[in-house]
Amino acid sequence: MTHRRDLLKLLAAAAPAVLGAGSFPHALRAQAVQAGLITPNVCALMPEVTEGPYYIDPGLIRADIRERRPGLPLRMRLQVVDPVCNPIAGARVDVWQCDAQGNYSGYARQGSDRVSDTTGQTFLRGTQIAGQDGVAAFQSIYPGWYRGRTAHVHFKVFLDQRNVLTGQMFFPDSFSDGVYAQVSAYARDGRDREVRNSNDGIARQAGDAAYAALTQIDGGYDAALVIGVSPDAVSRGGQRPRRGGGGQGMPPPPPRG
């Protein structure tokens, strides 16, 4: 029987995320399911990457973060596990992303043209607490793009006051190209995105394991990502959520006993 630590490494090496969900062999899917994982696309530990300029804590514990924002429906499932694949229940997971036109909520000078003002708005932001299976799920839309970045969704995983993993979830370029070309909410006035996964520095830093496994579901798509977190790690920065967007803020989970 494969040891859980070895299984995590095996899955990471055998199923490059950039190929997309359809490329996973049935055997790998079966091994992942047997280990209690939502996707074979995993790594031992998720690398921490930059938070970016648009994180705020609006104090919203909610699964549906859309606020009627137009776009391709996307269910996101983030599963928090330790280095040997054991789910971490009770982890706080924050997500935030831009809308179909590349705008984040809660800030002025938004999008590629830097003219939109979304101050005081909270769309496409939310918090969920991971269940016994380590999964935090959100109803969202497929992220748009803005100048200088490839398509991505930000996340923070809080285990306690000191252990905070800041990361980003990415998507296959071929899928993004199809969404942007075929879904009217993402249409731009003759402008094409210049940055793709291959020339996005943060995507390269995050590596293959930061790419979502995409599958079609009723009404849209499912994006699944397994996030490996070391329970003993200490974040390099951003331990405490910042309040903003008119919300009251929430504390991270209490220290673990």
Side-chain angles (χ1 to χ4, degrees):
M1 179 178 293
T2 303
H3 191 277
R4 292 181 69 88
R5 185 187 300 274
D6 296 331
L7 173 60
L8 199 59
K9 294 178 181 178
L10 172 65
L11 294 175
V18 292
L19 298 179
S23 298
F24 296 129
H26 178 75
L28 280 179
R29 290 181 177 274
Q31 285 181 298
V33 170
Q34 185 178 13
L37 302 174
I38 60 175
T39 170
N41 188 19
V42 300
C43 70
L45 292 175
M46 183 71 71
E48 188 171 47
V49 300
T50 181
E51 175 181 286
Y54 298 122
Y55 176 65
I56 56 176
D57 170 27
L60 296 173
I61 299 181
R62 59 182 183 177
D64 191 337
I65 64 175
R66 293 172 293 184
E67 294 190 13
R68 299 184 179 179
R69 226 59 185 179
L72 179 71
L74 185 72
R75 180 181 69 184
M76 297 187 294
R77 292 181 298 139
L78 308 180
Q79 185 178 37
V80 185
V81 302
D82 67 16
V84 291
C85 294
N86 296 310
I88 300 179
R92 168 182 168 173
V93 180
D94 289 8
V95 296
W96 69 103
Q97 66 172 85
C98 69
D99 66 8
Q101 290 293 305
N103 298 308
Y104 287 88
S105 62
Y107 286 88
R109 297 186 297 278
Q110 281 295 294
S112 294
D113 53 12
R114 302 295 185 185
V115 298
S116 299
D117 188 343
T118 62
T119 302
Q121 300 183 49
T122 58
F123 59 82
L124 301 177
R125 299 179 181 274
T127 295
Q128 285 286 275
I129 304 301
Q132 290 300 310
D133 57 359
V135 175
F138 299 87
Q139 291 294 330
S140 187
I141 62 170
Y142 196 81
W145 61 273
Y146 53 93
R147 187 173 300 164
R149 290 301 316 277
T150 192
H152 63 282
V153 172
H154 298 264
F155 63 82
K156 277 183 177 288
V157 176
F158 298 87
L159 298 190
D160 55 34
Q161 295 278 353
R162 300 171 66 245
N163 191 317
V164 184
L165 176 68
T166 301
Q168 296 181 22
M169 178 168 64
F170 298 93
F171 306 87
D173 272 326
S174 59
F175 190 85
S176 296
D177 290 340
V179 172
Y180 299 155
Q182 299 176 32
V183 182
S184 60
Y186 300 87
R188 305 291 179 92
D189 295 330
R191 290 180 296 179
D192 295 324
R193 61 186 184 125
E194 300 174 353
V195 178
R196 303 170 70 81
N197 296 332
S198 60
N199 60 335
D200 185 294
I202 299 174
R204 293 198 305 268
Q205 177 188 356
D208 285 352
Y211 285 77
L214 291 167
T215 53
Q216 190 169 10
I217 58 176
D218 290 342
Y221 283 82
D222 176 88
L225 186 69
V226 174
I227 303 171
V229 180
S230 172
D232 299 320
V234 176
S235 176
R236 292 174 296 179
Q239 289 95 334
R240 295 180 180 275
R242 292 196 298 274
R243 298 183 181 185
Q248 298 300 310
M250 294 178 294
R256 287 164 287 140

